[in-house]
Amino acid sequence: MKGDTMNLTRRTALAGVAAVAASTGLAACATAGGDDGDKVKQGDTSAENPLGVSAEAALEVVIFKGGYGDQYAIDAGTSLKQKFPKVAVDHKGIQGVGEVLQPRFVADSPPDVVDNSGAGRLDLATLVSAGKLTDLTSLLDAPSLDDPGKKVRDTLMPGVIEDGTFDGKPLVLNYSSVLWGVWYSKSLFAKHGWTFPKTWDEMLTLNDEIKKAGLHPWTWQGKYPEYLNDPLVSLAAKAGGFDLVKSIDNLQPGAWQSPAMLAAAEAIYQLAVRGHIMPGSEGLSHTEAQNAWCKGQVAFIPCGSWLEGEQQAVTPAGFDMVMGTVPALTGSDKLPNGAVMAASSESFIVPAKAKNVPGGLEFLRHLFSQKVARGFAETAKALPVVAGATDGLNLSSGLGSVAEAVKAAGPNVFSYKFRTWYAPLSKALDDATGELATKRINPQQWAGRVQKAADAVAKDSSIVKHQR
């Protein structure tokens, strides 16, 4: 399931209740005791061993095994063992990362590498403020595995390091380049002669045509309202521009009640008001909604670029799923049509209290190599953040559409950071959008509720604030 920038990290950035609960427990980390006596010391560094890996120390790697699977991480471990044959790599592919690892972070006995992703992941902002993460500067400045003449930092797509930087320190390294859009079946649209809409008015008009054809225009992953938030905040960003995005992240008063945000909420509300959403969608999990879409019951579903990989086991032959960028909201949007919400996701961390920090950093050096990243693109049907890793690949319909969207957007790529920074605000937004999509509240009430939550975060001195 999904992925969040650090929004991230969202293949699913569903912080939700689980993340809030995790933050409460992790707050104790700041005072929890730990014994560094059994930590692996950094070995001698050399051109062959730039991070000073102990050649015989064990390494524990915990990976979120969701829509992307974990084969790419297994490949990274295999690559590391080829270089250090005596290193025992203990690989664990799990779900519920927060539930499983929160007690270990509290006890200062975490794994050496963690893919902190998925629903209920550990609250990243709390990990950062509690000093629980290793500074990754030494990794970024190390020579890349593929070209010793290039540093690891020079092999990554623009913005990746920034996405994982907190107060000037790179603490997180995201693996997947994620875009958010509206998905549809290319073959279904060709069959009916439909064209993906360029504006929201065109979307509403097409939805009426789709209903006449006996299909539901939209569904959404109702148990996780964040999925519907993505087109909502995308519409707002297109209308209000980069200044609006920054005002939301910087908790500026009234930002959630701005004209652009209200118009975006109204746009999503119209899907419900006009009967364009499949009945019962609010009760569906992500897989249930996505499976209904794959069965041809529904024309559109909002999702991030992990969707193709997550659905590949159940997608019928010839479905040809593609992602369209969220249509323009108005005829006077500040960002051009084709602007897209994108960020790096799938958050990898090396805990500060890990036993084998050098080994964890070396694992990431292998993970971010061309060979492993290329395998990720092939198996996960997703874009890795390693530049050039997909060159020459025969891309699938979904991944190809995502790559085309990146190219078409050019510099008009935006992302929000409030989800990673402020879990309580994220939770309030999810709850409010769930109510909006079921017509239990209107756009003005939605904006008022979310603005109230943003103001509460801004006034809460116990929450560390960040600025863009």
Side-chain angles (χ1 to χ4, degrees), residues 105-129:
F105 272 87
V106 172
D108 280 338
S109 60
D112 302 306
V113 178
V114 176
D115 170 15
N116 184 39
S117 301
R121 72 197 183 284
L122 293 160
D123 182 47
L124 194 56
T126 302
L127 289 173
V128 170
S129 62

PDB file of all heavy atoms in Angstrom, residues 105-129:
ATOM      1  N   PHE A 105      12.693   0.659  19.566  1.00  0.00           N
ATOM      2  CA  PHE A 105      13.251   2.012  19.604  1.00  0.00           C
ATOM      3  C   PHE A 105      13.197   2.581  21.016  1.00  0.00           C
ATOM      4  O   PHE A 105      14.127   3.258  21.461  1.00  0.00           O
ATOM      5  CB  PHE A 105      12.496   2.919  18.627  1.00  0.00           C
ATOM      6  CG  PHE A 105      13.054   2.909  17.234  1.00  0.00           C
ATOM      7  CD1 PHE A 105      12.633   1.961  16.309  1.00  0.00           C
ATOM      8  CD2 PHE A 105      14.000   3.836  16.849  1.00  0.00           C
ATOM      9  CE1 PHE A 105      13.148   1.942  15.022  1.00  0.00           C
ATOM     10  CE2 PHE A 105      14.523   3.837  15.561  1.00  0.00           C
ATOM     11  CZ  PHE A 105      14.098   2.880  14.650  1.00  0.00           C
ATOM     12  N   VAL A 106      12.122   2.311  21.725  1.00  0.00           N
ATOM     13  CA  VAL A 106      12.010   2.781  23.108  1.00  0.00           C
ATOM     14  C   VAL A 106      13.108   2.163  23.967  1.00  0.00           C
ATOM     15  O   VAL A 106      13.690   2.821  24.837  1.00  0.00           O
ATOM     16  CB  VAL A 106      10.615   2.447  23.678  1.00  0.00           C
ATOM     17  CG1 VAL A 106      10.545   2.758  25.162  1.00  0.00           C
ATOM     18  CG2 VAL A 106       9.537   3.241  22.937  1.00  0.00           C
ATOM     19  N   ALA A 107      13.414   0.894  23.704  1.00  0.00           N
ATOM     20  CA  ALA A 107      14.439   0.185  24.480  1.00  0.00           C
ATOM     21  C   ALA A 107      15.843   0.426  23.950  1.00  0.00           C
ATOM     22  O   ALA A 107      16.814  -0.143  24.467  1.00  0.00           O
ATOM     23  CB  ALA A 107      14.135  -1.316  24.466  1.00  0.00           C
ATOM     24  N   ASP A 108      15.979   1.273  22.920  1.00  0.00           N
ATOM     25  CA  ASP A 108      17.278   1.548  22.294  1.00  0.00           C
ATOM     26  C   ASP A 108      17.957   0.283  21.786  1.00  0.00           C
ATOM     27  O   ASP A 108      19.174   0.109  21.917  1.00  0.00           O
ATOM     28  CB  ASP A 108      18.196   2.297  23.267  1.00  0.00           C
ATOM     29  CG  ASP A 108      17.877   3.781  23.312  1.00  0.00           C
ATOM     30  OD1 ASP A 108      17.279   4.292  22.339  1.00  0.00           O
ATOM     31  OD2 ASP A 108      18.212   4.433  24.322  1.00  0.00           O
ATOM     32  N   SER A 109      17.176  -0.611  21.188  1.00  0.00           N
ATOM     33  CA  SER A 109      17.742  -1.814  20.587  1.00  0.00           C
ATOM     34  C   SER A 109      17.150  -2.031  19.187  1.00  0.00           C
ATOM     35  O   SER A 109      16.610  -3.098  18.891  1.00  0.00           O
ATOM     36  CB  SER A 109      17.452  -3.034  21.463  1.00  0.00           C
ATOM     37  OG  SER A 109      16.047  -3.219  21.615  1.00  0.00           O
ATOM     38  N   PRO A 110      17.236  -1.012  18.329  1.00  0.00           N
ATOM     39  CA  PRO A 110      16.616  -1.105  17.002  1.00  0.00           C
ATOM     40  C   PRO A 110      17.464  -1.932  16.039  1.00  0.00           C
ATOM     41  O   PRO A 110      18.631  -2.234  16.321  1.00  0.00           O
ATOM     42  CB  PRO A 110      16.575   0.354  16.555  1.00  0.00           C
ATOM     43  CG  PRO A 110      17.809   0.940  17.173  1.00  0.00           C
ATOM     44  CD  PRO A 110      17.932   0.279  18.524  1.00  0.00           C
ATOM     45  N   PRO A 111      16.890  -2.285  14.879  1.00  0.00           N
ATOM     46  CA  PRO A 111      17.677  -2.932  13.826  1.00  0.00           C
ATOM     47  C   PRO A 111      18.720  -1.966  13.268  1.00  0.00           C
ATOM     48  O   PRO A 111      18.765  -0.789  13.642  1.00  0.00           O
ATOM     49  CB  PRO A 111      16.629  -3.301  12.770  1.00  0.00           C
ATOM     50  CG  PRO A 111      15.315  -3.169  13.463  1.00  0.00           C
ATOM     51  CD  PRO A 111      15.480  -2.134  14.514  1.00  0.00           C
ATOM     52  N   ASP A 112      19.522  -2.453  12.331  1.00  0.00           N
ATOM     53  CA  ASP A 112      20.581  -1.624  11.747  1.00  0.00           C
ATOM     54  C   ASP A 112      20.079  -0.793  10.569  1.00  0.00           C
ATOM     55  O   ASP A 112      20.612   0.281  10.296  1.00  0.00           O
ATOM     56  CB  ASP A 112      21.746  -2.508  11.303  1.00  0.00           C
ATOM     57  CG  ASP A 112      22.308  -3.318  12.459  1.00  0.00           C
ATOM     58  OD1 ASP A 112      22.659  -2.719  13.497  1.00  0.00           O
ATOM     59  OD2 ASP A 112      22.380  -4.560  12.338  1.00  0.00           O
ATOM     60  N   VAL A 113      19.084  -1.296   9.876  1.00  0.00           N
ATOM     61  CA  VAL A 113      18.458  -0.582   8.759  1.00  0.00           C
ATOM     62  C   VAL A 113      16.961  -0.806   8.855  1.00  0.00           C
ATOM     63  O   VAL A 113      16.512  -1.930   9.108  1.00  0.00           O
ATOM     64  CB  VAL A 113      18.960  -1.094   7.387  1.00  0.00           C
ATOM     65  CG1 VAL A 113      18.243  -0.359   6.253  1.00  0.00           C
ATOM     66  CG2 VAL A 113      20.462  -0.917   7.253  1.00  0.00           C
ATOM     67  N   VAL A 114      16.182   0.254   8.640  1.00  0.00           N
ATOM     68  CA  VAL A 114      14.725   0.143   8.680  1.00  0.00           C
ATOM     69  C   VAL A 114      14.141   0.859   7.462  1.00  0.00           C
ATOM     70  O   VAL A 114      14.508   2.000   7.162  1.00  0.00           O
ATOM     71  CB  VAL A 114      14.135   0.769   9.956  1.00  0.00           C
ATOM     72  CG1 VAL A 114      12.605   0.714   9.924  1.00  0.00           C
ATOM     73  CG2 VAL A 114      14.659   0.061  11.199  1.00  0.00           C
ATOM     74  N   ASP A 115      13.242   0.169   6.777  1.00  0.00           N
ATOM     75  CA  ASP A 115      12.404   0.810   5.765  1.00  0.00           C
ATOM     76  C   ASP A 115      11.127   1.225   6.478  1.00  0.00           C
ATOM     77  O   ASP A 115      10.223   0.428   6.669  1.00  0.00           O
ATOM     78  CB  ASP A 115      12.119  -0.186   4.629  1.00  0.00           C
ATOM     79  CG  ASP A 115      11.060   0.313   3.654  1.00  0.00           C
ATOM     80  OD1 ASP A 115      10.755   1.514   3.671  1.00  0.00           O
ATOM     81  OD2 ASP A 115      10.541  -0.515   2.885  1.00  0.00           O
ATOM     82  N   ASN A 116      11.082   2.485   6.880  1.00  0.00           N
ATOM     83  CA  ASN A 116       9.973   2.974   7.706  1.00  0.00           C
ATOM     84  C   ASN A 116       8.837   3.459   6.820  1.00  0.00           C
ATOM     85  O   ASN A 116       8.679   4.650   6.570  1.00  0.00           O
ATOM     86  CB  ASN A 116      10.463   4.103   8.622  1.00  0.00           C
ATOM     87  CG  ASN A 116       9.370   4.571   9.565  1.00  0.00           C
ATOM     88  OD1 ASN A 116       8.596   3.768  10.078  1.00  0.00           O
ATOM     89  ND2 ASN A 116       9.302   5.877   9.788  1.00  0.00           N
ATOM     90  N   SER A 117       8.038   2.514   6.338  1.00  0.00           N
ATOM     91  CA  SER A 117       6.954   2.832   5.417  1.00  0.00           C
ATOM     92  C   SER A 117       5.711   2.048   5.788  1.00  0.00           C
ATOM     93  O   SER A 117       5.727   1.231   6.701  1.00  0.00           O
ATOM     94  CB  SER A 117       7.376   2.512   3.975  1.00  0.00           C
ATOM     95  OG  SER A 117       8.520   3.250   3.605  1.00  0.00           O
ATOM     96  N   GLY A 118       4.644   2.306   5.059  1.00  0.00           N
ATOM     97  CA  GLY A 118       3.411   1.555   5.258  1.00  0.00           C
ATOM     98  C   GLY A 118       2.488   2.181   6.283  1.00  0.00           C
ATOM     99  O   GLY A 118       2.856   3.089   7.036  1.00  0.00           O
ATOM    100  N   ALA A 119       1.262   1.698   6.317  1.00  0.00           N
ATOM    101  CA  ALA A 119       0.294   2.169   7.297  1.00  0.00           C
ATOM    102  C   ALA A 119       0.799   1.862   8.701  1.00  0.00           C
ATOM    103  O   ALA A 119       1.283   0.781   8.971  1.00  0.00           O
ATOM    104  CB  ALA A 119      -1.049   1.493   7.062  1.00  0.00           C
ATOM    105  N   GLY A 120       0.706   2.825   9.597  1.00  0.00           N
ATOM    106  CA  GLY A 120       1.139   2.596  10.967  1.00  0.00           C
ATOM    107  C   GLY A 120       2.642   2.591  11.128  1.00  0.00           C
ATOM    108  O   GLY A 120       3.169   2.031  12.084  1.00  0.00           O
ATOM    109  N   ARG A 121       3.343   3.218  10.210  1.00  0.00           N
ATOM    110  CA  ARG A 121       4.796   3.303  10.353  1.00  0.00           C
ATOM    111  C   ARG A 121       5.167   4.145  11.571  1.00  0.00           C
ATOM    112  O   ARG A 121       4.319   4.861  12.111  1.00  0.00           O
ATOM    113  CB  ARG A 121       5.399   3.913   9.092  1.00  0.00           C
ATOM    114  CG  ARG A 121       5.122   5.392   8.954  1.00  0.00           C
ATOM    115  CD  ARG A 121       5.367   5.876   7.538  1.00  0.00           C
ATOM    116  NE  ARG A 121       5.158   7.304   7.429  1.00  0.00           N
ATOM    117  CZ  ARG A 121       3.961   7.867   7.392  1.00  0.00           C
ATOM    118  NH1 ARG A 121       2.890   7.119   7.479  1.00  0.00           N
ATOM    119  NH2 ARG A 121       3.842   9.176   7.281  1.00  0.00           N
ATOM    120  N   LEU A 122       6.398   4.089  11.956  1.00  0.00           N
ATOM    121  CA  LEU A 122       6.880   4.919  13.053  1.00  0.00           C
ATOM    122  C   LEU A 122       6.756   6.394  12.676  1.00  0.00           C
ATOM    123  O   LEU A 122       6.971   6.768  11.520  1.00  0.00           O
ATOM    124  CB  LEU A 122       8.350   4.588  13.344  1.00  0.00           C
ATOM    125  CG  LEU A 122       8.632   3.192  13.909  1.00  0.00           C
ATOM    126  CD1 LEU A 122      10.089   2.815  13.684  1.00  0.00           C
ATOM    127  CD2 LEU A 122       8.294   3.148  15.390  1.00  0.00           C
ATOM    128  N   ASP A 123       6.414   7.217  13.635  1.00  0.00           N
ATOM    129  CA  ASP A 123       6.270   8.640  13.375  1.00  0.00           C
ATOM    130  C   ASP A 123       7.648   9.260  13.196  1.00  0.00           C
ATOM    131  O   ASP A 123       8.429   9.379  14.144  1.00  0.00           O
ATOM    132  CB  ASP A 123       5.528   9.310  14.528  1.00  0.00           C
ATOM    133  CG  ASP A 123       5.314  10.791  14.258  1.00  0.00           C
ATOM    134  OD1 ASP A 123       4.889  11.130  13.147  1.00  0.00           O
ATOM    135  OD2 ASP A 123       5.583  11.598  15.159  1.00  0.00           O
ATOM    136  N   LEU A 124       7.943   9.667  11.973  1.00  0.00           N
ATOM    137  CA  LEU A 124       9.280  10.123  11.624  1.00  0.00           C
ATOM    138  C   LEU A 124       9.668  11.396  12.363  1.00  0.00           C
ATOM    139  O   LEU A 124      10.808  11.538  12.824  1.00  0.00           O
ATOM    140  CB  LEU A 124       9.357  10.333  10.111  1.00  0.00           C
ATOM    141  CG  LEU A 124      10.731  10.499   9.495  1.00  0.00           C
ATOM    142  CD1 LEU A 124      11.631   9.318   9.828  1.00  0.00           C
ATOM    143  CD2 LEU A 124      10.612  10.657   7.995  1.00  0.00           C
ATOM    144  N   ALA A 125       8.728  12.318  12.486  1.00  0.00           N
ATOM    145  CA  ALA A 125       9.044  13.580  13.154  1.00  0.00           C
ATOM    146  C   ALA A 125       9.479  13.352  14.599  1.00  0.00           C
ATOM    147  O   ALA A 125      10.373  14.024  15.115  1.00  0.00           O
ATOM    148  CB  ALA A 125       7.842  14.512  13.105  1.00  0.00           C
ATOM    149  N   THR A 126       8.849  12.381  15.247  1.00  0.00           N
ATOM    150  CA  THR A 126       9.210  12.082  16.634  1.00  0.00           C
ATOM    151  C   THR A 126      10.582  11.426  16.708  1.00  0.00           C
ATOM    152  O   THR A 126      11.381  11.719  17.606  1.00  0.00           O
ATOM    153  CB  THR A 126       8.156  11.166  17.276  1.00  0.00           C
ATOM    154  OG1 THR A 126       6.887  11.816  17.199  1.00  0.00           O
ATOM    155  CG2 THR A 126       8.479  10.885  18.732  1.00  0.00           C
ATOM    156  N   LEU A 127      10.874  10.525  15.773  1.00  0.00           N
ATOM    157  CA  LEU A 127      12.203   9.930  15.723  1.00  0.00           C
ATOM    158  C   LEU A 127      13.272  11.002  15.564  1.00  0.00           C
ATOM    159  O   LEU A 127      14.329  10.952  16.208  1.00  0.00           O
ATOM    160  CB  LEU A 127      12.288   8.942  14.554  1.00  0.00           C
ATOM    161  CG  LEU A 127      11.511   7.629  14.664  1.00  0.00           C
ATOM    162  CD1 LEU A 127      11.594   6.867  13.351  1.00  0.00           C
ATOM    163  CD2 LEU A 127      12.028   6.774  15.804  1.00  0.00           C
ATOM    164  N   VAL A 128      12.998  11.975  14.709  1.00  0.00           N
ATOM    165  CA  VAL A 128      13.966  13.043  14.468  1.00  0.00           C
ATOM    166  C   VAL A 128      14.171  13.878  15.724  1.00  0.00           C
ATOM    167  O   VAL A 128      15.304  14.123  16.154  1.00  0.00           O
ATOM    168  CB  VAL A 128      13.493  13.932  13.299  1.00  0.00           C
ATOM    169  CG1 VAL A 128      14.362  15.184  13.190  1.00  0.00           C
ATOM    170  CG2 VAL A 128      13.529  13.148  11.984  1.00  0.00           C
ATOM    171  N   SER A 129      13.069  14.328  16.322  1.00  0.00           N
ATOM    172  CA  SER A 129      13.195  15.207  17.488  1.00  0.00           C
ATOM    173  C   SER A 129      13.803  14.492  18.688  1.00  0.00           C
ATOM    174  O   SER A 129      14.425  15.121  19.546  1.00  0.00           O
ATOM    175  CB  SER A 129      11.827  15.783  17.863  1.00  0.00           C
ATOM    176  OG  SER A 129      10.925  14.752  18.235  1.00  0.00           O
TER     177      SER A 129
END
